[in-house]
């Protein structure tokens, strides 16, 4: 991977997670080896405010759409599906574009390589158009970590500030949104190791399931929130 490309992606992801850095104080009452937070539910949209709340239970219930109106490295993990994404999409400021929005059934999801920095873990969540038509993505994904039984692990991710653009994906092209969280060894948060990440495309209700192979994530206590950025053209690589 070229240095300039990695630097650009790191800058984009760190901008989305800057709200997390002020929260990296030790939490003496937390047990870093306590059991994970587990509730029923699936991926839903992130909340509006990019501030880390006091520890609370993750919301339960059926999935709701990923919204578009609001916010060392493992190998890439991919969801089931055929074909490979070889191109990058194009972005515009307008939400209206020819072809209409991409539906979950037309997309394939993957999680790219971690690009850590400044005490944070930064992963690109990539959606690739596997259909035969051109479609668009606009705004934020929904996301949730789940255990092997499908129960949600940890709180819902939040939306970092950003200006959504409409990303037009021709067949085989990709768009990415950043998933950022504080390194638990730095923040002192309690952790769990999810089995998968559920990703909901903007304005859709169905999710794409991606095996999570990147190890523990923060689920409670100090700096336990993850943050999502808006979709941008490309794979984030």
């Amino acid at each position: 991977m070229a240095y300039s490309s990695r630097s650009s992606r790191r800058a984009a992801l760190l901008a989305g997670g800057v709200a997390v850095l002020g929260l990296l104080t030790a939490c003496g009452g937390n047990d870093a080896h306590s059991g994970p937070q587990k509730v029923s539910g699936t991926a839903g949209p992130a909340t509006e405010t990019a501030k880390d709340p006091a520890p609370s239970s993750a919301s339960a219930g059926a999935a709701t759409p990923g919204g578009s109106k609001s916010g060392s490295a493992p190998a890439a993990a991919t969801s089931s599906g055929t074909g490979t994404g070889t191109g990058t999409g194009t972005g515009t400021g307008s939400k209206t574009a020819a072809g209409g929005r991409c539906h979950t059934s037309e997309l394939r999801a993957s999680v790219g390589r971690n690009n850590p920095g400044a005490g944070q873990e930064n992963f690109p969540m990539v959606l690739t158009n596997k259909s035969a038509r051109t479609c668009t993505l606009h705004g934020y994904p929904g996301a949730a970590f789940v255990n092997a039984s499908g129960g949600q692990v940890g709180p819902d991710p939040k939306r970092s500030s950003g200006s959504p653009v409409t990303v037009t994906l021709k067949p085989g092209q990709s768009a990415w949104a950043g998933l950022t969280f504080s390194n638990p060894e730095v923040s002192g948060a309690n952790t769990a190791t999810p089995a998968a990440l559920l990703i909901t495309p903007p304005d859709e209700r169905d999710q794409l399931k991606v095996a999570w192979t990147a190890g523990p994530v923060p689920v409670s206590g100090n700096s336990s929130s993850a943050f999502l950025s808006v979709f941008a053209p490309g794979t984030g690589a």
Side-chain angles (χ1 to χ4, degrees):
M1 180 186 304
Y3 177 81
S4 60
S5 177
R6 288 176 59 85
S7 298
S8 297
R9 176 160 71 83
R10 178 176 296 175
L13 291 164
L14 290 180
V18 66
V20 183
L21 297 180
L23 301 174
L24 302 181
T25 56
C27 186
N30 290 327
D31 178 5
H33 300 288
S34 63
Q37 180 181 16
K38 299 179 181 179
V39 299
S40 61
T42 50
T47 55
E48 288 285 344
T49 307
K51 295 180 181 178
D52 200 11
S56 62
S57 296
S59 61
T64 51
S68 60
K69 301 178 181 69
S70 352
S72 121
T78 58
S79 66
S80 60
T82 58
T84 22
T86 56
T88 59
T90 57
T92 67
S94 171
K95 185 175 179 180
T96 303
R101 79 170 186 266
C102 299
H103 299 295
T104 303
S105 61
E106 299 175 305
L107 298 168
R108 183 179 66 258
S110 62
V111 176
R113 189 182 300 273
N114 185 19
N115 187 21
Q120 298 200 166
E121 311 302 319
N122 305 299
F123 295 88
M125 300 185 302
V126 182
L127 296 183
T128 300
N129 181 5
K130 67 177 185 179
S131 75
R133 75 179 185 102
T134 297
C135 60
T136 61
L137 296 172
H138 183 95
Y140 296 85
F145 291 112
V146 295
N147 58 27
S149 300
Q152 184 169 331
V153 177
D156 289 338
K158 300 176 181 180
R159 292 176 180 176
S160 57
S161 59
S163 299
V165 297
T166 296
V167 182
T168 299
L169 300 180
K170 295 179 181 179
Q173 291 186 328
S174 301
W176 70 282
L179 172 67
T180 299
F181 53 85
S182 295
N183 184 315
E185 293 184 1
V186 176
S187 68
N190 299 323
T191 65
T193 301
L197 175 68
L198 301 183
I199 302 173
T200 311
D203 296 317
E204 291 290 299
R205 291 186 178 275
D206 294 331
Q207 308 88 35
L208 295 165
K209 185 176 183 179
V210 184
W212 182 259
T213 60
V217 300
V219 295
S220 66
N222 208 40
S223 297
S224 59
S225 292
F227 293 83
L228 305 172
S229 70
V230 297
F231 276 105
T235 62

